[in-house]
Amino acid sequence: MAKSQVIMRVLVGFLVLVQFYALFVAATEGKSSKQVALIVESEEEVEVNFFIRAINFLWQKGQPPYTHVWPEMKFGWRIVVGTIIGFFGAAFGSVGGVGGGGIFVPMLKLIIGFDAKSSTAMSKCMIMGAAGATVYYNLKKRHPALDLPVIDYDLALLFQPMLVLGISVGVAFNVIFADWMVTVLLIILFLGTSTKAFLKGIETWKKETIMKKEAVRLLESSGSNGQVEYKTLPGEPNRKIEVSVIENVHWKELGIIIAVWVAILALEIAKDHTTSCSTAYWVLNLLQVPVAVAASSYEAVMLYKGKRVIASRGQAGTNWTIHQLVLHCSVGILAGVVGGLLGLGGGFILGPLFLELGIPPEVSSATATFAMTFSSSMSVVEYYLLERFPVPYALYFFVVAVVSSLVGQYVVRKLIAILGRASLIIFILAFTIFVSAISLGGVGISNMIYKFKHKEYMGFESLCSL
């Protein structure tokens, strides 16, 4: 009975469509060729007018220049609430290796009262503080299972130059792009990466459970009643948990990374003393490309030839194809662009990517944060030269981020040692990205609705107006 009713409805719908088509044909045939030509011409006119309106919507000349909104710095409920949110945001962000910018930006805008672009710049100051403190905490730490530093310097050298290059592009895009474009990009990107990270966390949790059960079984078979020692991978004997900084740092790789940072920073400072969009301006911009590409290409060639390895991946870190290396370098640029555009740490992309490469959670978090220290400091210098944030506010929240990241690292490392679950880092990563997607996406959508209702300009801005 139900099947026959469905068939009848389909037939009725088809007949209605046929009737409409017949009426359309009859109406068209009743018109002269001149009338038909007029109809076609009017339709083309409508399309052209629509295209012109779209261009005017996205790019209008003579728009008033950007003016910042910086609230007065005084003690009150805004500072207190902002400090609390910033503290937990930096703690979670530093542990997950994502910086916490997705929590900082809405806090700075909605609670403290900064405008959107100043909030982005201020968040970079907080990310730099949290990342720098985390790197300081990890400088003496060793790999959770191998006799290596917890920071993978070869992995950082492959990605960090591309990340810094992408930051320069992202900062320019932050000036040019409309807020609604940034919001759409953010929601799509963050929901995807948070889902991917969460699934990776579940997978790691299951592996840890199997390893813990196996360890308990072995202890029971040997007649031991001791506690199971936490190890993410089969560990090397007599492995030290902490060593001196001199012994733990790979100075050659670190030197190349610092050299790239200094070179691109010098180009940015020189660019600031030129006229926007002049020949010298574009030359200094383009000179950043060979500097970053040369450093990452050097590491990529060494990996491809087998002269270097991503040791934290174990045996999987010895085999690299050209396709993989080019793809990873491209992702490094993308992470930098997103970081500069949204005022976030590149770790929102690098963290999940490192996990997919098979890097242990502790190493993934430490290495992504290490790379973010350079990229975020680059952004801070660029935003400072553009006068995008007030220094007293920046210093205050910088200190908040430093303290909270140190506390977060200490507490989570203790929890991992007690529970034997490094997957906690992955879940914190996924949670931070998801909260960032909801908070930043919500703020962006509300701004879009407000501007649409008040018929405000929602298009591109000129880079040359800086």
Side-chain angles (χ1 to χ4, degrees), residues 406-423:
L406 292 174
V407 173
Q409 287 289 329
Y410 178 80
V411 171
V412 171
R413 300 292 175 182
K414 287 293 184 184
L415 285 175
I416 291 175
I418 294 171
L419 301 176
R421 296 283 186 180
S423 54

Side-chain angles (χ1 to χ4, degrees), residues 93-99 134 138 142-144 149-152 155-156 159 197 200 204 232 310 312-313 346-372 409 413 422 425-426 429:
S94 64
V95 171
V98 294
T134 303
N138 288 325
R142 301 293 284 176
H143 192 285
V150 73
I151 299 173
D152 192 323
L155 187 64
F159 282 93
K200 186 68 176 181
T204 307
T232 55
I310 305 299
S312 58
R313 295 182 68 195
F348 277 91
I349 294 179
L350 291 185
L353 174 64
F354 289 167
L355 292 172
E356 289 299 317
L357 289 176
I359 308 297
E362 298 97 325
V363 180
S364 170
S365 172
T367 307
T369 305
F370 176 74
M372 273 195 302
Q409 287 289 329
R413 300 292 175 182
I425 295 177
I426 306 178
L429 168 67

Side-chain angles (χ1 to χ4, degrees), residues 279-431:
T279 302
Y281 176 90
W282 293 115
V283 168
L284 291 170
N285 263 320
L286 292 175
L287 282 176
Q288 297 179 23
V289 177
V291 173
V293 171
S296 287
S297 297
Y298 164 76
E299 179 66 20
V301 170
M302 293 295 103
L303 290 172
Y304 179 72
K305 292 182 176 180
K307 295 182 179 180
R308 292 182 185 273
V309 296
I310 305 299
S312 58
R313 295 182 68 195
Q315 292 297 322
T318 59
N319 299 317
W320 290 89
T321 64
I322 295 177
H323 171 74
Q324 287 177 322
L325 292 169
V326 171
L327 178 62
H328 293 335
C329 289
S330 301
V331 172
I333 295 178
L334 176 62
V337 171
V338 172
L341 176 62
L342 305 179
L344 309 174
F348 277 91
I349 294 179
L350 291 185
L353 174 64
F354 289 167
L355 292 172
E356 289 299 317
L357 289 176
I359 308 297
E362 298 97 325
V363 180
S364 170
S365 172
T367 307
T369 305
F370 176 74
M372 273 195 302
T373 303
F374 292 94
S375 62
S376 60
S377 59
M378 180 73 67
S379 295
V380 168
V381 173
E382 292 181 26
Y383 283 130
Y384 175 77
L385 295 175
L386 294 172
E387 298 181 351
R388 283 293 174 91
F389 61 82
V391 175
Y393 256 119
L395 289 175
Y396 172 75
F397 281 110
F398 175 88
V399 173
V400 171
V402 167
V403 174
S404 61
S405 63
L406 292 174
V407 173
Q409 287 289 329
Y410 178 80
V411 171
V412 171
R413 300 292 175 182
K414 287 293 184 184
L415 285 175
I416 291 175
I418 294 171
L419 301 176
R421 296 283 186 180
S423 54
L424 287 174
I425 295 177
I426 306 178
F427 287 123
I428 291 173
L429 168 67
F431 173 76

Side-chain angles (χ1 to χ4, degrees), residues 71-195:
E72 182 184 355
M73 188 173 183
K74 59 181 180 180
F75 183 78
W77 71 269
R78 293 181 182 274
I79 288 289
V80 173
V81 175
T83 300
I84 294 172
I85 295 176
F87 184 91
F88 284 102
F92 280 102
S94 64
V95 171
V98 294
I103 298 174
F104 300 151
V105 173
M107 176 272 291
L108 291 165
K109 187 176 187 303
L110 299 178
I111 297 175
I112 304 299
F114 286 98
D115 65 278
K117 294 185 183 295
S118 296
S119 299
T120 299
M122 283 283 297
S123 74
K124 276 297 182 182
C125 297
M126 299 183 70
I127 292 170
M128 183 179 71
T134 303
V135 169
Y136 171 78
Y137 181 88
N138 288 325
L139 280 179
K140 297 181 180 181
K141 302 294 182 182
R142 301 293 284 176
H143 192 285
L146 304 175
D147 192 20
L148 300 166
V150 73
I151 299 173
D152 192 323
Y153 290 93
D154 284 299
L155 187 64
L157 180 55
L158 180 65
F159 282 93
Q160 189 269 343
M162 295 290 100
L163 188 69
V164 173
L165 178 62
I167 285 289
S168 298
V169 179
V171 169
F173 283 174
N174 178 263
V175 176
I176 297 172
F177 279 12
D179 291 340
W180 66 268
M181 300 175 191
V182 175
T183 300
V184 172
L185 170 65
L186 182 147
I187 293 174
I188 295 173
L189 183 66
F190 280 19
L191 288 180
T193 52
S194 63
T195 302

